mmCIF file with all atom_site columns, all heavy atoms in Angstrom:
data_model
loop_
_atom_site.group_PDB
_atom_site.id
_atom_site.type_symbol
_atom_site.label_atom_id
_atom_site.label_alt_id
_atom_site.label_comp_id
_atom_site.label_asym_id
_atom_site.label_entity_id
_atom_site.label_seq_id
_atom_site.pdbx_PDB_ins_code
_atom_site.Cartn_x
_atom_site.Cartn_y
_atom_site.Cartn_z
_atom_site.occupancy
_atom_site.B_iso_or_equiv
_atom_site.pdbx_formal_charge
_atom_site.auth_seq_id
_atom_site.auth_comp_id
_atom_site.auth_asym_id
_atom_site.auth_atom_id
_atom_site.pdbx_PDB_model_num
ATOM 1   N N   . ARG A 1 75 ? -49.073 -242.335 -16.230 1.00 74.00 ? 75 ARG A N   1
ATOM 2   C CA  . ARG A 1 75 ? -48.087 -241.955 -15.216 1.00 74.00 ? 75 ARG A CA  1
ATOM 3   C C   . ARG A 1 75 ? -46.687 -242.406 -15.634 1.00 74.00 ? 75 ARG A C   1
ATOM 4   O O   . ARG A 1 75 ? -46.484 -243.516 -16.111 1.00 74.00 ? 75 ARG A O   1
ATOM 5   C CB  . ARG A 1 75 ? -48.478 -242.632 -13.898 1.00 74.00 ? 75 ARG A CB  1
ATOM 6   C CG  . ARG A 1 75 ? -47.766 -242.128 -12.683 1.00 74.00 ? 75 ARG A CG  1
ATOM 7   C CD  . ARG A 1 75 ? -48.216 -242.922 -11.470 1.00 74.00 ? 75 ARG A CD  1
ATOM 8   N NE  . ARG A 1 75 ? -49.627 -242.710 -11.162 1.00 74.00 ? 75 ARG A NE  1
ATOM 9   C CZ  . ARG A 1 75 ? -50.061 -241.813 -10.276 1.00 74.00 ? 75 ARG A CZ  1
ATOM 10  N NH1 . ARG A 1 75 ? -49.199 -241.066 -9.626  1.00 74.00 ? 75 ARG A NH1 1
ATOM 11  N NH2 . ARG A 1 75 ? -51.342 -241.674 -10.040 1.00 74.00 ? 75 ARG A NH2 1
ATOM 12  N N   . LEU A 1 76 ? -45.719 -241.511 -15.469 1.00 65.00 ? 76 LEU A N   1
ATOM 13  C CA  . LEU A 1 76 ? -44.310 -241.866 -15.674 1.00 65.00 ? 76 LEU A CA  1
ATOM 14  C C   . LEU A 1 76 ? -43.888 -242.637 -14.430 1.00 65.00 ? 76 LEU A C   1
ATOM 15  O O   . LEU A 1 76 ? -43.562 -242.048 -13.397 1.00 65.00 ? 76 LEU A O   1
ATOM 16  C CB  . LEU A 1 76 ? -43.446 -240.599 -15.753 1.00 65.00 ? 76 LEU A CB  1
ATOM 17  C CG  . LEU A 1 76 ? -42.858 -240.147 -17.073 1.00 65.00 ? 76 LEU A CG  1
ATOM 18  C CD1 . LEU A 1 76 ? -42.012 -238.915 -16.858 1.00 65.00 ? 76 LEU A CD1 1
ATOM 19  C CD2 . LEU A 1 76 ? -42.057 -241.229 -17.742 1.00 65.00 ? 76 LEU A CD2 1
ATOM 20  N N   . ASP A 1 77 ? -43.929 -243.949 -14.510 1.00 49.00 ? 77 ASP A N   1
ATOM 21  C CA  . ASP A 1 77 ? -43.718 -244.725 -13.294 1.00 49.00 ? 77 ASP A CA  1
ATOM 22  C C   . ASP A 1 77 ? -42.240 -244.954 -13.059 1.00 49.00 ? 77 ASP A C   1
ATOM 23  O O   . ASP A 1 77 ? -41.548 -245.572 -13.848 1.00 49.00 ? 77 ASP A O   1
ATOM 24  C CB  . ASP A 1 77 ? -44.448 -246.053 -13.428 1.00 49.00 ? 77 ASP A CB  1
ATOM 25  C CG  . ASP A 1 77 ? -44.428 -246.833 -12.127 1.00 49.00 ? 77 ASP A CG  1
ATOM 26  O OD1 . ASP A 1 77 ? -43.577 -246.529 -11.265 1.00 49.00 ? 77 ASP A OD1 1
ATOM 27  O OD2 . ASP A 1 77 ? -45.251 -247.733 -11.971 1.00 49.00 ? 77 ASP A OD2 1
ATOM 28  N N   . GLU A 1 78 ? -41.763 -244.495 -11.935 1.00 41.00 ? 78 GLU A N   1
ATOM 29  C CA  . GLU A 1 78 ? -40.340 -244.616 -11.664 1.00 41.00 ? 78 GLU A CA  1
ATOM 30  C C   . GLU A 1 78 ? -39.894 -246.056 -11.543 1.00 41.00 ? 78 GLU A C   1
ATOM 31  O O   . GLU A 1 78 ? -38.799 -246.409 -11.958 1.00 41.00 ? 78 GLU A O   1
ATOM 32  C CB  . GLU A 1 78 ? -40.000 -243.907 -10.357 1.00 41.00 ? 78 GLU A CB  1
ATOM 33  C CG  . GLU A 1 78 ? -40.325 -242.444 -10.422 1.00 41.00 ? 78 GLU A CG  1
ATOM 34  C CD  . GLU A 1 78 ? -39.226 -241.623 -9.805  1.00 41.00 ? 78 GLU A CD  1
ATOM 35  O OE1 . GLU A 1 78 ? -38.088 -242.093 -9.748  1.00 41.00 ? 78 GLU A OE1 1
ATOM 36  O OE2 . GLU A 1 78 ? -39.534 -240.512 -9.378  1.00 41.00 ? 78 GLU A OE2 1
ATOM 37  N N   . HIS A 1 79 ? -40.734 -246.867 -10.928 1.00 30.00 ? 79 HIS A N   1
ATOM 38  C CA  . HIS A 1 79 ? -40.297 -248.238 -10.680 1.00 30.00 ? 79 HIS A CA  1
ATOM 39  C C   . HIS A 1 79 ? -40.038 -248.981 -11.970 1.00 30.00 ? 79 HIS A C   1
ATOM 40  O O   . HIS A 1 79 ? -39.120 -249.766 -12.083 1.00 30.00 ? 79 HIS A O   1
ATOM 41  C CB  . HIS A 1 79 ? -41.340 -248.968 -9.831  1.00 30.00 ? 79 HIS A CB  1
ATOM 42  C CG  . HIS A 1 79 ? -41.547 -248.267 -8.540  1.00 30.00 ? 79 HIS A CG  1
ATOM 43  N ND1 . HIS A 1 79 ? -40.556 -248.215 -7.586  1.00 30.00 ? 79 HIS A ND1 1
ATOM 44  C CD2 . HIS A 1 79 ? -42.577 -247.532 -8.067  1.00 30.00 ? 79 HIS A CD2 1
ATOM 45  C CE1 . HIS A 1 79 ? -40.985 -247.505 -6.567  1.00 30.00 ? 79 HIS A CE1 1
ATOM 46  N NE2 . HIS A 1 79 ? -42.199 -247.071 -6.836  1.00 30.00 ? 79 HIS A NE2 1
ATOM 47  N N   . LYS A 1 80 ? -40.828 -248.681 -12.952 1.00 32.00 ? 80 LYS A N   1
ATOM 48  C CA  . LYS A 1 80 ? -40.665 -249.370 -14.218 1.00 32.00 ? 80 LYS A CA  1
ATOM 49  C C   . LYS A 1 80 ? -39.332 -249.056 -14.897 1.00 32.00 ? 80 LYS A C   1
ATOM 50  O O   . LYS A 1 80 ? -38.855 -249.835 -15.701 1.00 32.00 ? 80 LYS A O   1
ATOM 51  C CB  . LYS A 1 80 ? -41.786 -248.965 -15.188 1.00 32.00 ? 80 LYS A CB  1
ATOM 52  C CG  . LYS A 1 80 ? -43.070 -249.738 -14.988 1.00 32.00 ? 80 LYS A CG  1
ATOM 53  C CD  . LYS A 1 80 ? -44.006 -249.518 -16.153 1.00 32.00 ? 80 LYS A CD  1
ATOM 54  C CE  . LYS A 1 80 ? -45.420 -249.921 -15.790 1.00 32.00 ? 80 LYS A CE  1
ATOM 55  N NZ  . LYS A 1 80 ? -46.413 -249.115 -16.485 1.00 32.00 ? 80 LYS A NZ  1
ATOM 56  N N   . VAL A 1 81 ? -38.777 -247.899 -14.593 1.00 32.00 ? 81 VAL A N   1
ATOM 57  C CA  . VAL A 1 81 ? -37.609 -247.506 -15.371 1.00 32.00 ? 81 VAL A CA  1
ATOM 58  C C   . VAL A 1 81 ? -36.284 -247.762 -14.663 1.00 32.00 ? 81 VAL A C   1
ATOM 59  O O   . VAL A 1 81 ? -35.235 -247.515 -15.223 1.00 32.00 ? 81 VAL A O   1
ATOM 60  C CB  . VAL A 1 81 ? -37.666 -246.015 -15.776 1.00 32.00 ? 81 VAL A CB  1
ATOM 61  C CG1 . VAL A 1 81 ? -38.879 -245.759 -16.617 1.00 32.00 ? 81 VAL A CG1 1
ATOM 62  C CG2 . VAL A 1 81 ? -37.594 -245.135 -14.559 1.00 32.00 ? 81 VAL A CG2 1
ATOM 63  N N   . LEU A 1 82 ? -36.356 -248.241 -13.438 1.00 31.00 ? 82 LEU A N   1
ATOM 64  C CA  . LEU A 1 82 ? -35.095 -248.586 -12.798 1.00 31.00 ? 82 LEU A CA  1
ATOM 65  C C   . LEU A 1 82 ? -34.360 -249.544 -13.706 1.00 31.00 ? 82 LEU A C   1
ATOM 66  O O   . LEU A 1 82 ? -34.924 -250.509 -14.203 1.00 31.00 ? 82 LEU A O   1
ATOM 67  C CB  . LEU A 1 82 ? -35.357 -249.251 -11.449 1.00 31.00 ? 82 LEU A CB  1
ATOM 68  C CG  . LEU A 1 82 ? -35.550 -248.269 -10.313 1.00 31.00 ? 82 LEU A CG  1
ATOM 69  C CD1 . LEU A 1 82 ? -35.910 -248.999 -9.043  1.00 31.00 ? 82 LEU A CD1 1
ATOM 70  C CD2 . LEU A 1 82 ? -34.286 -247.451 -10.107 1.00 31.00 ? 82 LEU A CD2 1
ATOM 71  N N   . LEU A 1 83 ? -33.115 -249.273 -13.952 1.00 38.00 ? 83 LEU A N   1
ATOM 72  C CA  . LEU A 1 83 ? -32.374 -250.108 -14.894 1.00 38.00 ? 83 LEU A CA  1
ATOM 73  C C   . LEU A 1 83 ? -32.307 -251.514 -14.322 1.00 38.00 ? 83 LEU A C   1
ATOM 74  O O   . LEU A 1 83 ? -31.780 -251.735 -13.248 1.00 38.00 ? 83 LEU A O   1
ATOM 75  C CB  . LEU A 1 83 ? -30.984 -249.523 -15.091 1.00 38.00 ? 83 LEU A CB  1
ATOM 76  C CG  . LEU A 1 83 ? -31.040 -248.110 -15.670 1.00 38.00 ? 83 LEU A CG  1
ATOM 77  C CD1 . LEU A 1 83 ? -29.670 -247.515 -15.719 1.00 38.00 ? 83 LEU A CD1 1
ATOM 78  C CD2 . LEU A 1 83 ? -31.670 -248.119 -17.049 1.00 38.00 ? 83 LEU A CD2 1
ATOM 79  N N   . SER A 1 84 ? -32.874 -252.440 -15.024 1.00 32.00 ? 84 SER A N   1
ATOM 80  C CA  . SER A 1 84 ? -32.971 -253.801 -14.497 1.00 32.00 ? 84 SER A CA  1
ATOM 81  C C   . SER A 1 84 ? -31.649 -254.524 -14.650 1.00 32.00 ? 84 SER A C   1
ATOM 82  O O   . SER A 1 84 ? -30.804 -254.145 -15.445 1.00 32.00 ? 84 SER A O   1
ATOM 83  C CB  . SER A 1 84 ? -34.043 -254.566 -15.242 1.00 32.00 ? 84 SER A CB  1
ATOM 84  O OG  . SER A 1 84 ? -33.574 -254.878 -16.528 1.00 32.00 ? 84 SER A OG  1
ATOM 85  N N   . GLU A 1 85 ? -31.504 -255.590 -13.904 1.00 33.00 ? 85 GLU A N   1
ATOM 86  C CA  . GLU A 1 85 ? -30.325 -256.449 -14.010 1.00 33.00 ? 85 GLU A CA  1
ATOM 87  C C   . GLU A 1 85 ? -30.151 -256.901 -15.449 1.00 33.00 ? 85 GLU A C   1
ATOM 88  O O   . GLU A 1 85 ? -29.060 -256.950 -15.975 1.00 33.00 ? 85 GLU A O   1
ATOM 89  C CB  . GLU A 1 85 ? -30.529 -257.708 -13.150 1.00 33.00 ? 85 GLU A CB  1
ATOM 90  C CG  . GLU A 1 85 ? -30.471 -257.447 -11.671 1.00 33.00 ? 85 GLU A CG  1
ATOM 91  C CD  . GLU A 1 85 ? -29.216 -258.030 -11.049 1.00 33.00 ? 85 GLU A CD  1
ATOM 92  O OE1 . GLU A 1 85 ? -28.662 -258.964 -11.617 1.00 33.00 ? 85 GLU A OE1 1
ATOM 93  O OE2 . GLU A 1 85 ? -28.783 -257.497 -10.010 1.00 33.00 ? 85 GLU A OE2 1
ATOM 94  N N   . LYS A 1 86 ? -31.251 -257.190 -16.065 1.00 37.00 ? 86 LYS A N   1
ATOM 95  C CA  . LYS A 1 86 ? -31.229 -257.691 -17.430 1.00 37.00 ? 86 LYS A CA  1
ATOM 96  C C   . LYS A 1 86 ? -30.541 -256.709 -18.368 1.00 37.00 ? 86 LYS A C   1
ATOM 97  O O   . LYS A 1 86 ? -29.980 -257.079 -19.387 1.00 37.00 ? 86 LYS A O   1
ATOM 98  C CB  . LYS A 1 86 ? -32.676 -257.917 -17.919 1.00 37.00 ? 86 LYS A CB  1
ATOM 99  C CG  . LYS A 1 86 ? -33.243 -259.259 -17.484 1.00 37.00 ? 86 LYS A CG  1
ATOM 100 C CD  . LYS A 1 86 ? -33.139 -260.262 -18.615 1.00 37.00 ? 86 LYS A CD  1
ATOM 101 C CE  . LYS A 1 86 ? -33.421 -261.668 -18.093 1.00 37.00 ? 86 LYS A CE  1
ATOM 102 N NZ  . LYS A 1 86 ? -33.327 -262.651 -19.183 1.00 37.00 ? 86 LYS A NZ  1
ATOM 103 N N   . GLU A 1 87 ? -30.639 -255.450 -18.029 1.00 39.00 ? 87 GLU A N   1
ATOM 104 C CA  . GLU A 1 87 ? -30.072 -254.468 -18.943 1.00 39.00 ? 87 GLU A CA  1
ATOM 105 C C   . GLU A 1 87 ? -28.561 -254.422 -18.882 1.00 39.00 ? 87 GLU A C   1
ATOM 106 O O   . GLU A 1 87 ? -27.921 -253.679 -19.591 1.00 39.00 ? 87 GLU A O   1
ATOM 107 C CB  . GLU A 1 87 ? -30.668 -253.084 -18.661 1.00 39.00 ? 87 GLU A CB  1
ATOM 108 C CG  . GLU A 1 87 ? -31.269 -252.515 -19.915 1.00 39.00 ? 87 GLU A CG  1
ATOM 109 C CD  . GLU A 1 87 ? -31.972 -251.219 -19.648 1.00 39.00 ? 87 GLU A CD  1
ATOM 110 O OE1 . GLU A 1 87 ? -32.606 -251.088 -18.602 1.00 39.00 ? 87 GLU A OE1 1
ATOM 111 O OE2 . GLU A 1 87 ? -31.866 -250.331 -20.512 1.00 39.00 ? 87 GLU A OE2 1
ATOM 112 N N   . GLY A 1 88 ? -28.029 -255.216 -17.986 1.00 36.00 ? 88 GLY A N   1
ATOM 113 C CA  . GLY A 1 88 ? -26.579 -255.363 -18.018 1.00 36.00 ? 88 GLY A CA  1
ATOM 114 C C   . GLY A 1 88 ? -25.856 -254.331 -17.200 1.00 36.00 ? 88 GLY A C   1
ATOM 115 O O   . GLY A 1 88 ? -24.654 -254.395 -17.013 1.00 36.00 ? 88 GLY A O   1
ATOM 116 N N   . LEU A 1 89 ? -26.602 -253.354 -16.713 1.00 36.00 ? 89 LEU A N   1
ATOM 117 C CA  . LEU A 1 89 ? -25.939 -252.288 -15.996 1.00 36.00 ? 89 LEU A CA  1
ATOM 118 C C   . LEU A 1 89 ? -25.533 -252.752 -14.605 1.00 36.00 ? 89 LEU A C   1
ATOM 119 O O   . LEU A 1 89 ? -24.397 -252.588 -14.182 1.00 36.00 ? 89 LEU A O   1
ATOM 120 C CB  . LEU A 1 89 ? -26.885 -251.097 -15.901 1.00 36.00 ? 89 LEU A CB  1
ATOM 121 C CG  . LEU A 1 89 ? -26.255 -249.851 -15.316 1.00 36.00 ? 89 LEU A CG  1
ATOM 122 C CD1 . LEU A 1 89 ? -25.147 -249.370 -16.216 1.00 36.00 ? 89 LEU A CD1 1
ATOM 123 C CD2 . LEU A 1 89 ? -27.298 -248.787 -15.147 1.00 36.00 ? 89 LEU A CD2 1
ATOM 124 N N   . LEU A 1 90 ? -26.489 -253.355 -13.914 1.00 36.00 ? 90 LEU A N   1
ATOM 125 C CA  . LEU A 1 90 ? -26.209 -253.737 -12.540 1.00 36.00 ? 90 LEU A CA  1
ATOM 126 C C   . LEU A 1 90 ? -25.344 -254.988 -12.454 1.00 36.00 ? 90 LEU A C   1
ATOM 127 O O   . LEU A 1 90 ? -24.822 -255.305 -11.402 1.00 36.00 ? 90 LEU A O   1
ATOM 128 C CB  . LEU A 1 90 ? -27.519 -253.942 -11.785 1.00 36.00 ? 90 LEU A CB  1
ATOM 129 C CG  . LEU A 1 90 ? -28.336 -252.665 -11.619 1.00 36.00 ? 90 LEU A CG  1
ATOM 130 C CD1 . LEU A 1 90 ? -29.628 -252.961 -10.900 1.00 36.00 ? 90 LEU A CD1 1
ATOM 131 C CD2 . LEU A 1 90 ? -27.542 -251.629 -10.848 1.00 36.00 ? 90 LEU A CD2 1
ATOM 132 N N   . THR A 1 91 ? -25.207 -255.694 -13.561 1.00 37.00 ? 91 THR A N   1
ATOM 133 C CA  . THR A 1 91 ? -24.378 -256.890 -13.513 1.00 37.00 ? 91 THR A CA  1
ATOM 134 C C   . THR A 1 91 ? -22.919 -256.558 -13.829 1.00 37.00 ? 91 THR A C   1
ATOM 135 O O   . THR A 1 91 ? -22.069 -257.419 -13.791 1.00 37.00 ? 91 THR A O   1
ATOM 136 C CB  . THR A 1 91 ? -24.866 -257.949 -14.512 1.00 37.00 ? 91 THR A CB  1
ATOM 137 O OG1 . THR A 1 91 ? -24.924 -257.329 -15.805 1.00 37.00 ? 91 THR A OG1 1
ATOM 138 C CG2 . THR A 1 91 ? -26.227 -258.470 -14.147 1.00 37.00 ? 91 THR A CG2 1
ATOM 139 N N   . ALA A 1 92 ? -22.644 -255.286 -14.136 1.00 39.00 ? 92 ALA A N   1
ATOM 140 C CA  . ALA A 1 92 ? -21.260 -254.904 -14.405 1.00 39.00 ? 92 ALA A CA  1
ATOM 141 C C   . ALA A 1 92 ? -20.424 -255.275 -13.191 1.00 39.00 ? 92 ALA A C   1
ATOM 142 O O   . ALA A 1 92 ? -20.873 -255.146 -12.057 1.00 39.00 ? 92 ALA A O   1
ATOM 143 C CB  . ALA A 1 92 ? -21.176 -253.404 -14.668 1.00 39.00 ? 92 ALA A CB  1
ATOM 144 N N   . PRO A 1 93 ? -19.218 -255.751 -13.414 1.00 42.00 ? 93 PRO A N   1
ATOM 145 C CA  . PRO A 1 93 ? -18.395 -256.138 -12.269 1.00 42.00 ? 93 PRO A CA  1
ATOM 146 C C   . PRO A 1 93 ? -18.143 -254.925 -11.391 1.00 42.00 ? 93 PRO A C   1
ATOM 147 O O   . PRO A 1 93 ? -18.059 -253.801 -11.884 1.00 42.00 ? 93 PRO A O   1
ATOM 148 C CB  . PRO A 1 93 ? -17.107 -256.632 -12.921 1.00 42.00 ? 93 PRO A CB  1
ATOM 149 C CG  . PRO A 1 93 ? -17.093 -256.053 -14.292 1.00 42.00 ? 93 PRO A CG  1
ATOM 150 C CD  . PRO A 1 93 ? -18.506 -255.850 -14.688 1.00 42.00 ? 93 PRO A CD  1
ATOM 151 N N   . ARG A 1 94 ? -18.035 -255.138 -10.071 1.00 52.00 ? 94 ARG A N   1
ATOM 152 C CA  . ARG A 1 94 ? -17.837 -254.012 -9.164  1.00 52.00 ? 94 ARG A CA  1
ATOM 153 C C   . ARG A 1 94 ? -16.500 -253.335 -9.425  1.00 52.00 ? 94 ARG A C   1
ATOM 154 O O   . ARG A 1 94 ? -16.382 -252.129 -9.385  1.00 52.00 ? 94 ARG A O   1
ATOM 155 C CB  . ARG A 1 94 ? -17.907 -254.459 -7.708  1.00 52.00 ? 94 ARG A CB  1
ATOM 156 C CG  . ARG A 1 94 ? -19.326 -254.739 -7.238  1.00 52.00 ? 94 ARG A CG  1
ATOM 157 C CD  . ARG A 1 94 ? -19.296 -255.215 -5.799  1.00 52.00 ? 94 ARG A CD  1
ATOM 158 N NE  . ARG A 1 94 ? -19.220 -254.112 -4.860  1.00 52.00 ? 94 ARG A NE  1
ATOM 159 C CZ  . ARG A 1 94 ? -18.538 -254.145 -3.718  1.00 52.00 ? 94 ARG A CZ  1
ATOM 160 N NH1 . ARG A 1 94 ? -17.857 -255.197 -3.392  1.00 52.00 ? 94 ARG A NH1 1
ATOM 161 N NH2 . ARG A 1 94 ? -18.543 -253.099 -2.921  1.00 52.00 ? 94 ARG A NH2 1
ATOM 162 N N   . GLY A 1 95 ? -15.491 -254.150 -9.688  1.00 62.00 ? 95 GLY A N   1
ATOM 163 C CA  . GLY A 1 95 ? -14.177 -253.556 -9.963  1.00 62.00 ? 95 GLY A CA  1
ATOM 164 C C   . GLY A 1 95 ? -14.233 -252.859 -11.305 1.00 62.00 ? 95 GLY A C   1
ATOM 165 O O   . GLY A 1 95 ? -14.771 -253.392 -12.269 1.00 62.00 ? 95 GLY A O   1
ATOM 166 N N   . VAL A 1 96 ? -13.714 -251.635 -11.337 1.00 71.00 ? 96 VAL A N   1
ATOM 167 C CA  . VAL A 1 96 ? -13.675 -250.929 -12.609 1.00 71.00 ? 96 VAL A CA  1
ATOM 168 C C   . VAL A 1 96 ? -12.333 -251.266 -13.257 1.00 71.00 ? 96 VAL A C   1
ATOM 169 O O   . VAL A 1 96 ? -11.281 -251.108 -12.637 1.00 71.00 ? 96 VAL A O   1
ATOM 170 C CB  . VAL A 1 96 ? -13.793 -249.407 -12.389 1.00 71.00 ? 96 VAL A CB  1
ATOM 171 C CG1 . VAL A 1 96 ? -13.688 -248.677 -13.712 1.00 71.00 ? 96 VAL A CG1 1
ATOM 172 C CG2 . VAL A 1 96 ? -15.094 -249.089 -11.678 1.00 71.00 ? 96 VAL A CG2 1
#
Side-chain angles (χ1 to χ4, degrees):
Chain A
R75 193 182 295 265
L76 252 182
D77 188 341
E78 299 223 24
H79 301 293
K80 277 193 197 148
V81 300
L82 275 176
L83 299 174
S84 73
E85 289 250 336
K86 277 261 168 180
E87 235 175 322
L89 187 64
L90 294 178
T91 54
R94 285 178 82 216
V96 177

